Amino acid sequence: MSKYWSSMVKRTEPYVPGEQVEQLDIVKLNTNENPYPPSPKVKDAISVEMERSLQLYPSPTADELRQTIGNIYGLTADEVFVGNGSDEVLAFSFMAFFEPGKVIRFPSVSYSFYPVYSKLFAITYEEVALNDDFTLRVGEYFQSEGGVILPNPNAPTSLYAKLDSIELIVKNNPDQVVIIDEAYIDFASESAVKLIQKYDNLLVIQTTSKSRSLAGLRVGYAMGNRSLIEALVRIKDSFNSYTLDRLALAGAKAAFEDEVYFKESTGKIIATREKTMGILKGLGFNVLPSQANFVFVTHATVAAETLYLQLKEEGILVRHFNKPFIENYLRITIGTEEQMARLVEKLKKLV
Amino acid sequence: MSKYWSSMVKRTEPYVPGEQVEQLDIVKLNTNENPYPPSPKVKDAISVEMERSLQLYPSPTADELRQTIGNIYGLTADEVFVGNGSDEVLAFSFMAFFEPGKVIRFPSVSYSFYPVYSKLFAITYEEVALNDDFTLRVGEYFQSEGGVILPNPNAPTSLYAKLDSIELIVKNNPDQVVIIDEAYIDFASESAVKLIQKYDNLLVIQTTSKSRSLAGLRVGYAMGNRSLIEALVRIKDSFNSYTLDRLALAGAKAAFEDEVYFKESTGKIIATREKTMGILKGLGFNVLPSQANFVFVTHATVAAETLYLQLKEEGILVRHFNKPFIENYLRITIGTEEQMARLVEKLKKLV
């Protein structure tokens, strides 16, 4: 600590992302990335853009990308906000919709960045317990004082809450914003996007990092009533005029335009997930019914931390959270068929 | 305004960037971009990186880029912070070093984003008047309550304050952070970087958007004592783990590695600036002695706003600020020799 640090720095408890390794021989199943490359059209678009004007600022309003996303979800461009990864969109949302002194609610087992944002922006929060099977206690999110944020599917549990549960939470917070963080929705069933026209307090956040294979490009987005989007734009324009660079704008647009590739690659991951879940159950794992691109598992006899460390030694990275309720669980990203076969082969020896 | 907006949104007064146009026939001299493309090595590096792993997150710590920048300025990697454009680095710096309730100081004619950040983060500020010739009143920055931020060269005035003036300000704020925003320093003389080892309260912020022709890629950086850098890292890791995408990291690194190209293109701009200043003086302009990649001018008889509008009609964009003290000035970016010839040709008809 230094005398030059602001009170804001002093109260931070920074997020620790999963390990990033560049060794090619590692099987990396720890940060929920897509094992498949993005659509070939992404590279084409980036190559074209690169030949244009890297020396000129990108569009500060990102209208083309917002329109492209709007077209897919049946929204207008002013119902869409884009940012530097969904983490930035989440940070701006905490700034735009949550208020110091008004308690917000999120699940006790959830994306561990929510308490980090809360501390940064001095937002008080209440962690709502999950049921023993990790499902949401829907009624406990009603009538919140300061708003609600929750991931659906939830991370790291992988569980999806049906849309009628989400709608109940939105409906029962008429004076507060409810943020549904849908980073993994493309591996699940229905998105809450269809509720946007009905509820002006609903913000849905998604990302290109998972289902569109663009974690390396940093493009996230929010969808909601235009007055919510206007609030995000005001925050962004008070923070950084140009949050998305030219190549990210072009690459993300191309990814959204290739629906065929998107459906094919998400389909493959879902198929591998279902197969892997069956195999892991056969090896004595309790596997939560995942609707994400990862599974959340615990073994009947071998401790999660032991498995995490032994897998790491064998060149396979999975994620272990040293936290209450989930310290005996592993979060394993769904990779390619080959990667999952290597994982299963190692696990057979370890359990 | 909406009932869902936080008090933070309500108090924002967003920055309005210069117009971005994509028409190729426009002579764009309004946002201080570099008229030359980046080093060819930038494209090579981006092409290589694009073939690697866009589906994987980038390095959250950006160590390689920080090391590359450190090597150039004689600093270690932990004395360098990188971010999504210098605007993001500035925003993080306001969060990390300035405190609500403690008045900061910056020049009354300066980068118009400073009051925007101040409003966003509820930082009280005092605008210190410039002398009539737009030079800094150095002594008036001493013993500030909450810190000092100033651009050197200043924008939009283009004036450079000598390093001994900067040092006096840093020295006379021993308990506060002094931020020197050196977006344009590569078109001027000495950087304050050389004072970093001597003063642990000095933060120097630079960007690749101007001298390294990468406005479209969004890479800015800060240099200072490692405890200041640690504060910025804590803020960033509480906000967005991965602020720089893979292509931006690779492209910026390549730009820093091509010193020959960098010196050549900044040299060309400086030469064109000197020539343009002479010609504009000949046309009856008062031209401030610029050490930036733009000039700040006022005409003896024709109003700046009139000139701005007439130039725009002729397909030439320059920047006019409708603000006290400078409403009769134009800020004109130094373009290529050809662009400046077109500007001069039009001006000859208008003045």
Side-chain angles (χ1 to χ4, degrees), chain A residues 6-7 57 95 99 174 242 245, chain B residues 4 6-7 95 99 218 245:
Chain A
S6 69
S7 54
Y57 283 105
M95 296 163 86
E99 190 75 35
Y242 316 92
D245 67 59
Chain B
Y4 300 118
S6 69
S7 54
M95 297 164 86
E99 190 76 34
R218 316 301 303 124
D245 67 61

Side-chain angles (χ1 to χ4, degrees), chain B residues 35 96 187 316:
Chain B
F187 307 102
I316 298 179

Side-chain angles (χ1 to χ4, degrees), chain B residues 45-56:
Chain B
I46 291 172
S47 298
V48 168
E49 184 61 33
M50 193 167 65
E51 296 303 324
R52 293 176 71 209
S53 310
L54 282 183
Q55 71 270 31
L56 299 186

